[in-house]
Amino acid sequence: MAQITPTPIRLQEALYELMWHQSYGRVTIDAICERAGVRKGSFYHAYPDKATLAIEAFEFAWKNEAKPWLDDAFSPSEAPLTRLANWLDGGLQKTLQCQQEHGKVYGCPLFNVGSELSTLEPTVAEKVVEILRRNRRYIMTALRDAQAEDLIEIDDADEVARDVLTLVEGALTQARISNSADPIRRLPLSVGRLIGALIPRPSNLTVS
Amino acid sequence: MAQITPTPIRLQEALYELMWHQSYGRVTIDAICERAGVRKGSFYHAYPDKATLAIEAFEFAWKNEAKPWLDDAFSPSEAPLTRLANWLDGGLQKTLQCQQEHGKVYGCPLFNVGSELSTLEPTVAEKVVEILRRNRRYIMTALRDAQAEDLIEIDDADEVARDVLTLVEGALTQARISNSADPIRRLPLSVGRLIGALIPRPSNLTVS
DNA sequence: ACGCTACTTGACTAATTAGTCAAATCAAGC
DNA sequence: GCTTGATTTGACTAATTAGTCAAGTAGCGT
């Protein structure tokens, strides 16, 4: 078959979406193959197991979705706190769009799957930690700039960046559990409280 | 067999610990029965399915573990911010003890399982939401008292209580994913930042 | 056109798992 | 001690699932 997209990529996309919408454990190899339009033999030709595929799926999603989005939202061309606003607003918009389409709030696949697999598939959990760390760098940079421009007063940008990410991921998980976007809607105020400043309105109104 | 503990309770305890240490999806009925020392027929005599058992397991754990602990930590006999300190420190101590025993940090079963099941078993997720709400009330009460005693300055105790719980649950999940108690260790400072006050030392040094 | 390699297919096995059920056992009242 | 109802047991079925493999096919360089 002359597939438009190569098999490994289709498998990555299939597992990524399935485990985000359901859970890692609930997704069978058969389900991945069905969604990817591929037979099981091809799966095992491309990957030795589900965990290996999951790791590549996360990396693929980072490179093709998360990173471009974050690079845009956290562009140094914007004022530091506006970057945070763009990021939070972008997440909310994505959530609302997804909610309209599927009737569900799915939260953050990294956090969901990472928490599910930490004790069962350490290699996947390690990948999650790595990507979360990449996320944190964006926040830290913005906070440092905000501090340098006297927009906020914090002692340790790294520590506060951890807290911001923790709060945001916590809210995304709350949103998933309660199937409601409200915890995400509240985030600008909440993050503002945490860093001791008002998060402005976002500048960037595009949604992918 | 004259079991010391009745079968339903043993099943609840078995599933609770297994799904906390592993994940809900990974735990089979057989595994529950084995750990409870009970045959599968008895399981189906006591419960129609795993989800129903999970809901009762959460309620059981609330009544017998969480509530007594929270009632103690958040006792109005203590100063409001000391209550928060007791709560956070108690969680850390539990985590460290568990880490010493099993070599793993498991985080919060409510949040882990809630996030895993929100799209798959809504009834279980609803139970999780309910118990999280109970948790929030303790925080809210302490914050109101702190506000009344001019220890903190917040506009809406309910909103801030949500943020505190979100931050704490987020940190517990981070701790699970990275298998490290550090995110929990940081919590007094982080929560202090969020409510704009220094969390004092805990008064209560007992660990169950 | 030929041959080589990489990929795909479908049919297969073995193992796990949820769920059922009739028979056996227990506990409690009489 | 007997009866009755609740509980437990172990053996069973049917379905799902991971993983294998020999044979087939497509694509590419020559």
Side-chain angles (χ1 to χ4, degrees):
Chain A
M1 294 287 163
Q3 303 283 16
I4 319 110
T5 330
T7 298
I9 308 281
R10 320 186 75 191
L11 289 168
Q12 288 167 28
E13 290 173 337
L15 174 55
Y16 186 81
E17 178 148 322
L18 287 173
M19 73 183 170
W20 183 30
H21 288 10
Q22 302 173 20
S23 77
Y24 177 90
R26 177 69 66 106
V27 180
T28 63
I29 309 280
D30 284 324
I32 300 169
C33 292
E34 189 185 341
R35 172 164 259 268
V38 147
R39 301 297 159 169
K40 194 153 38 174
S42 297
F43 176 98
Y44 284 106
H45 180 77
Y47 294 100
D49 51 39
K50 201 168 67 165
T52 308
L53 172 60
I55 291 171
E56 288 214 7
F58 276 129
E59 188 60 39
F60 182 82
W62 165 261
K63 200 174 175 183
N64 292 278
E65 306 222 4
K67 182 171 184 300
W69 173 49
L70 290 173
D71 283 340
D72 181 40
F74 281 96
S75 163
S77 68
E78 299 286 350
L81 296 183
T82 305
R83 299 175 211 165
L84 291 174
N86 289 342
W87 173 49
L88 297 177
D89 187 67
L92 175 61
Q93 296 309 324
K94 282 186 181 189
T95 301
L96 293 175
Q97 186 179 313
C98 181
Q99 193 181 29
Q100 203 157 17
E101 193 174 338
H102 302 103
K104 295 238 175 259
V105 174
Y106 294 121
C108 166
L110 286 173
F111 228 56
N112 300 341
V113 175
S115 132
E116 182 185 350
L117 293 188
S118 62
T119 62
L120 303 171
E121 298 281 2
T123 57
V124 181
E126 212 173 313
K127 187 69 183 181
V128 167
V129 168
E130 183 193 329
I131 300 183
L132 286 175
R133 204 164 19 228
R134 294 181 202 162
N135 273 265
R136 210 175 66 221
R137 296 180 63 86
Y138 287 87
I139 305 169
M140 198 174 59
T141 300
L143 290 180
R144 279 182 188 149
D145 283 353
Q147 191 175 21
E149 298 177 24
D150 280 328
L151 299 167
I152 58 175
E153 199 164 332
I154 55 179
D155 39 330
D156 185 341
D158 180 70
E159 285 292 303
V160 179
R162 278 176 205 273
D163 290 349
V164 170
L165 184 58
T166 298
L167 185 66
V168 170
E169 291 288 355
L172 286 166
T173 308
Q174 284 267 14
R176 177 179 169 95
I177 297 177
S178 58
N179 193 34
S180 153
D182 288 344
I184 304 175
R185 242 186 285 271
R186 256 190 293 272
L187 272 175
L189 271 176
S190 307
V191 172
R193 250 191 290 272
L194 188 56
I195 66 177
L198 262 183
I199 303 287
R201 311 179 111 268
S203 72
N204 173 352
L205 299 176
T206 56
V207 186
S208 72
Chain B
M1 292 289 160
Q3 302 283 16
I4 318 109
T5 331
T7 299
I9 308 283
R10 321 186 74 191
L11 289 168
Q12 288 167 27
E13 289 173 337
L15 174 56
Y16 186 80
E17 178 149 321
L18 287 172
M19 73 184 171
W20 183 29
H21 288 8
Q22 302 172 20
S23 78
Y24 177 90
R26 178 69 67 105
V27 180
T28 63
I29 309 281
D30 285 323
I32 300 169
C33 293
E34 189 186 340
R35 171 164 260 267
V38 147
R39 303 295 159 171
K40 195 154 33 176
S42 298
F43 176 98
Y44 283 106
H45 179 77
Y47 295 101
D49 50 39
K50 199 167 67 165
T52 307
L53 172 60
I55 291 171
E56 289 215 6
F58 277 129
E59 188 61 38
F60 182 82
W62 164 261
K63 200 175 176 184
N64 292 278
E65 305 222 5
K67 181 171 185 300
W69 173 50
L70 290 173
D71 283 340
D72 180 41
F74 281 95
S75 163
S77 67
E78 300 285 349
L81 296 183
T82 304
R83 300 175 211 165
L84 290 173
N86 288 342
W87 174 48
L88 298 176
D89 187 66
L92 175 61
Q93 297 308 325
K94 282 186 182 190
T95 302
L96 292 175
Q97 186 179 314
C98 180
Q99 192 180 30
Q100 203 158 18
E101 193 174 338
H102 302 103
K104 297 239 176 255
V105 174
Y106 295 122
C108 166
L110 285 173
F111 227 56
N112 301 340
V113 174
S115 133
E116 180 186 351
L117 293 189
S118 62
T119 63
L120 302 171
E121 299 279 4
T123 56
V124 181
E126 211 172 314
K127 187 70 183 178
V128 167
V129 168
E130 182 192 329
I131 300 184
L132 286 174
R133 204 167 16 229
R134 295 181 201 163
N135 274 265
R136 210 174 66 221
R137 296 180 63 86
Y138 289 86
I139 306 170
M140 198 173 61
T141 300
L143 290 179
R144 278 183 188 149
D145 283 352
Q147 191 175 21
E149 299 177 24
D150 278 329
L151 299 166
I152 58 175
E153 199 164 332
I154 55 179
D155 39 330
D156 184 342
D158 180 71
E159 286 291 303
V160 180
R162 277 175 207 272
D163 290 350
V164 170
L165 183 59
T166 299
L167 185 65
V168 169
E169 290 289 354
L172 287 167
T173 308
Q174 284 267 14
R176 177 179 168 96
I177 298 177
S178 58
N179 193 33
S180 152
D182 288 345
I184 303 175
R185 243 186 284 272
R186 257 191 292 274
L187 271 175
L189 272 176
S190 307
V191 171
R193 250 191 291 273
L194 188 57
I195 66 178
L198 263 182
I199 303 287
R201 311 178 110 271
S203 71
N204 175 351
L205 299 176
T206 57
V207 185
S208 72

Short mmCIF file of all heavy atoms in Angstrom, two decimals, chain A residues 1 7 38-39 41-42 45, chain C residues 6-12:
data_model
loop_
_atom_site.label_atom_id
_atom_site.label_comp_id
_atom_site.label_asym_id
_atom_site.label_seq_id
_atom_site.Cartn_x
_atom_site.Cartn_y
_atom_site.Cartn_z
N MET A 1 0.83 -1.21 0.00
CA MET A 1 0.00 0.00 0.00
C MET A 1 0.87 1.25 0.00
O MET A 1 1.76 1.39 0.83
CB MET A 1 -0.88 0.02 1.26
CG MET A 1 -1.91 -1.10 1.29
SD MET A 1 -3.25 -0.82 0.14
CE MET A 1 -3.95 -2.48 0.06
N THR A 7 4.17 4.10 8.02
CA THR A 7 3.54 3.30 9.08
C THR A 7 3.93 3.70 10.50
O THR A 7 3.05 3.86 11.35
CB THR A 7 3.85 1.82 8.84
OG1 THR A 7 3.28 1.43 7.59
CG2 THR A 7 3.29 0.95 9.94
N VAL A 38 -3.50 -0.60 9.73
CA VAL A 38 -2.27 -1.38 9.55
C VAL A 38 -2.50 -2.73 10.23
O VAL A 38 -3.28 -2.84 11.15
CB VAL A 38 -1.11 -0.59 10.21
CG1 VAL A 38 -0.07 -1.50 10.80
CG2 VAL A 38 -0.50 0.39 9.22
N ARG A 39 -1.83 -3.76 9.75
CA ARG A 39 -1.99 -5.08 10.36
C ARG A 39 -0.98 -5.26 11.48
O ARG A 39 0.06 -4.61 11.51
CB ARG A 39 -1.82 -6.17 9.31
CG ARG A 39 -2.81 -6.05 8.17
CD ARG A 39 -4.20 -6.22 8.67
NE ARG A 39 -5.18 -5.62 7.73
CZ ARG A 39 -6.48 -5.82 7.82
NH1 ARG A 39 -6.96 -6.56 8.79
NH2 ARG A 39 -7.30 -5.24 6.97
N GLY A 41 1.15 -7.52 12.20
CA GLY A 41 2.53 -7.85 11.82
C GLY A 41 3.35 -6.61 11.55
O GLY A 41 4.53 -6.53 11.89
N SER A 42 2.73 -5.61 10.94
CA SER A 42 3.44 -4.36 10.65
C SER A 42 3.81 -3.63 11.92
O SER A 42 4.87 -3.01 12.02
CB SER A 42 2.59 -3.45 9.77
OG SER A 42 2.34 -4.07 8.53
N HIS A 45 6.75 -5.27 13.25
CA HIS A 45 7.91 -4.99 12.40
C HIS A 45 8.51 -3.62 12.76
O HIS A 45 9.71 -3.43 12.74
CB HIS A 45 7.53 -5.03 10.93
CG HIS A 45 8.67 -4.75 10.01
ND1 HIS A 45 9.64 -5.68 9.72
CD2 HIS A 45 9.03 -3.62 9.35
CE1 HIS A 45 10.55 -5.16 8.90
NE2 HIS A 45 10.19 -3.91 8.65
P DA C 6 16.97 -4.26 4.21
OP1 DA C 6 17.92 -3.34 4.90
OP2 DA C 6 16.81 -5.65 4.66
"O5'" DA C 6 15.55 -3.56 4.18
"C5'" DA C 6 15.30 -2.49 3.27
"C4'" DA C 6 13.82 -2.19 3.27
"O4'" DA C 6 13.13 -3.17 2.46
"C3'" DA C 6 13.19 -2.27 4.66
"O3'" DA C 6 12.26 -1.22 4.80
"C2'" DA C 6 12.52 -3.63 4.66
"C1'" DA C 6 12.11 -3.79 3.22
N9 DA C 6 12.01 -5.18 2.76
C8 DA C 6 12.85 -6.21 3.04
N7 DA C 6 12.51 -7.35 2.48
C5 DA C 6 11.36 -7.03 1.78
C6 DA C 6 10.50 -7.81 0.98
N6 DA C 6 10.69 -9.10 0.73
N1 DA C 6 9.43 -7.19 0.43
C2 DA C 6 9.25 -5.89 0.68
N3 DA C 6 9.98 -5.06 1.41
C4 DA C 6 11.03 -5.71 1.95
P DC C 7 11.57 -0.96 6.21
OP1 DC C 7 11.53 0.50 6.42
OP2 DC C 7 12.16 -1.85 7.23
"O5'" DC C 7 10.08 -1.44 5.92
"C5'" DC C 7 9.41 -0.92 4.77
"C4'" DC C 7 8.26 -1.82 4.41
"O4'" DC C 7 8.75 -3.15 4.10
"C3'" DC C 7 7.22 -2.02 5.51
"O3'" DC C 7 6.04 -1.37 5.10
"C2'" DC C 7 7.05 -3.53 5.62
"C1'" DC C 7 7.68 -4.04 4.33
N1 DC C 7 8.24 -5.41 4.37
C2 DC C 7 7.62 -6.40 3.62
O2 DC C 7 6.62 -6.12 2.94
N3 DC C 7 8.12 -7.68 3.64
C4 DC C 7 9.20 -7.95 4.38
N4 DC C 7 9.67 -9.21 4.38
C5 DC C 7 9.86 -6.94 5.15
C6 DC C 7 9.35 -5.69 5.11
P DT C 8 4.77 -1.33 6.08
OP1 DT C 8 4.00 -0.12 5.77
OP2 DT C 8 5.24 -1.62 7.45
"O5'" DT C 8 3.93 -2.58 5.57
"C5'" DT C 8 3.54 -2.64 4.22
"C4'" DT C 8 2.80 -3.93 3.96
"O4'" DT C 8 3.72 -5.03 4.10
"C3'" DT C 8 1.67 -4.20 4.95
"O3'" DT C 8 0.45 -4.24 4.22
"C2'" DT C 8 2.02 -5.54 5.61
"C1'" DT C 8 3.03 -6.14 4.65
N1 DT C 8 4.07 -7.03 5.26
C2 DT C 8 4.08 -8.36 4.93
O2 DT C 8 3.29 -8.87 4.16
N3 DT C 8 5.09 -9.09 5.55
C4 DT C 8 6.03 -8.63 6.44
O4 DT C 8 6.88 -9.38 6.92
C5 DT C 8 5.94 -7.22 6.74
C7 DT C 8 6.93 -6.61 7.70
C6 DT C 8 4.98 -6.48 6.15
P DT C 9 -0.93 -4.29 4.99
OP1 DT C 9 -1.93 -3.57 4.17
OP2 DT C 9 -0.70 -3.88 6.38
"O5'" DT C 9 -1.29 -5.83 4.96
"C5'" DT C 9 -1.17 -6.51 3.71
"C4'" DT C 9 -1.27 -8.01 3.91
"O4'" DT C 9 -0.04 -8.48 4.48
"C3'" DT C 9 -2.37 -8.44 4.88
"O3'" DT C 9 -3.39 -9.07 4.12
"C2'" DT C 9 -1.67 -9.39 5.85
"C1'" DT C 9 -0.32 -9.65 5.21
N1 DT C 9 0.81 -9.84 6.15
C2 DT C 9 1.46 -11.04 6.19
O2 DT C 9 1.14 -12.00 5.50
N3 DT C 9 2.50 -11.11 7.09
C4 DT C 9 2.94 -10.10 7.92
O4 DT C 9 3.90 -10.26 8.69
C5 DT C 9 2.23 -8.85 7.83
C7 DT C 9 2.63 -7.69 8.68
C6 DT C 9 1.21 -8.78 6.96
P DG C 10 -4.91 -9.08 4.67
OP1 DG C 10 -5.80 -8.93 3.50
OP2 DG C 10 -5.04 -8.18 5.83
"O5'" DG C 10 -5.01 -10.57 5.18
"C5'" DG C 10 -4.59 -11.62 4.33
"C4'" DG C 10 -4.37 -12.87 5.14
"O4'" DG C 10 -3.15 -12.76 5.91
"C3'" DG C 10 -5.46 -13.17 6.17
"O3'" DG C 10 -5.65 -14.56 6.24
"C2'" DG C 10 -4.86 -12.65 7.46
"C1'" DG C 10 -3.41 -13.06 7.26
N9 DG C 10 -2.45 -12.35 8.08
C8 DG C 10 -2.57 -11.09 8.61
N7 DG C 10 -1.53 -10.73 9.31
C5 DG C 10 -0.66 -11.81 9.23
C6 DG C 10 0.62 -12.00 9.78
O6 DG C 10 1.28 -11.23 10.47
N1 DG C 10 1.15 -13.25 9.45
C2 DG C 10 0.51 -14.20 8.68
N2 DG C 10 1.15 -15.34 8.46
N3 DG C 10 -0.70 -14.03 8.15
C4 DG C 10 -1.22 -12.82 8.47
P DA C 11 -7.00 -15.22 6.72
OP1 DA C 11 -7.94 -15.17 5.60
OP2 DA C 11 -7.38 -14.66 8.03
"O5'" DA C 11 -6.50 -16.70 6.92
"C5'" DA C 11 -5.20 -17.10 6.43
"C4'" DA C 11 -4.39 -17.71 7.56
"O4'" DA C 11 -3.58 -16.70 8.21
"C3'" DA C 11 -5.24 -18.36 8.66
"O3'" DA C 11 -4.74 -19.65 8.96
"C2'" DA C 11 -5.07 -17.41 9.83
"C1'" DA C 11 -3.64 -16.93 9.60
N9 DA C 11 -3.31 -15.69 10.31
C8 DA C 11 -4.09 -14.57 10.44
N7 DA C 11 -3.53 -13.62 11.15
C5 DA C 11 -2.31 -14.15 11.52
C6 DA C 11 -1.24 -13.64 12.27
N6 DA C 11 -1.25 -12.43 12.82
N1 DA C 11 -0.16 -14.43 12.43
C2 DA C 11 -0.15 -15.64 11.88
N3 DA C 11 -1.09 -16.23 11.15
C4 DA C 11 -2.15 -15.43 10.99
P DC C 12 -5.60 -20.60 9.90
OP1 DC C 12 -5.64 -21.92 9.24
OP2 DC C 12 -6.85 -19.94 10.29
"O5'" DC C 12 -4.67 -20.71 11.20
"C5'" DC C 12 -3.37 -21.28 11.07
"C4'" DC C 12 -2.50 -20.83 12.23
"O4'" DC C 12 -2.44 -19.39 12.25
"C3'" DC C 12 -3.05 -21.17 13.62
"O3'" DC C 12 -2.64 -22.48 14.00
"C2'" DC C 12 -2.38 -20.12 14.50
"C1'" DC C 12 -1.98 -19.02 13.53
N1 DC C 12 -2.55 -17.67 13.88
C2 DC C 12 -1.78 -16.81 14.65
O2 DC C 12 -0.66 -17.18 15.02
N3 DC C 12 -2.28 -15.59 14.98
C4 DC C 12 -3.50 -15.23 14.57
N4 DC C 12 -3.95 -14.03 14.91
C5 DC C 12 -4.30 -16.11 13.76
C6 DC C 12 -3.79 -17.30 13.45
#
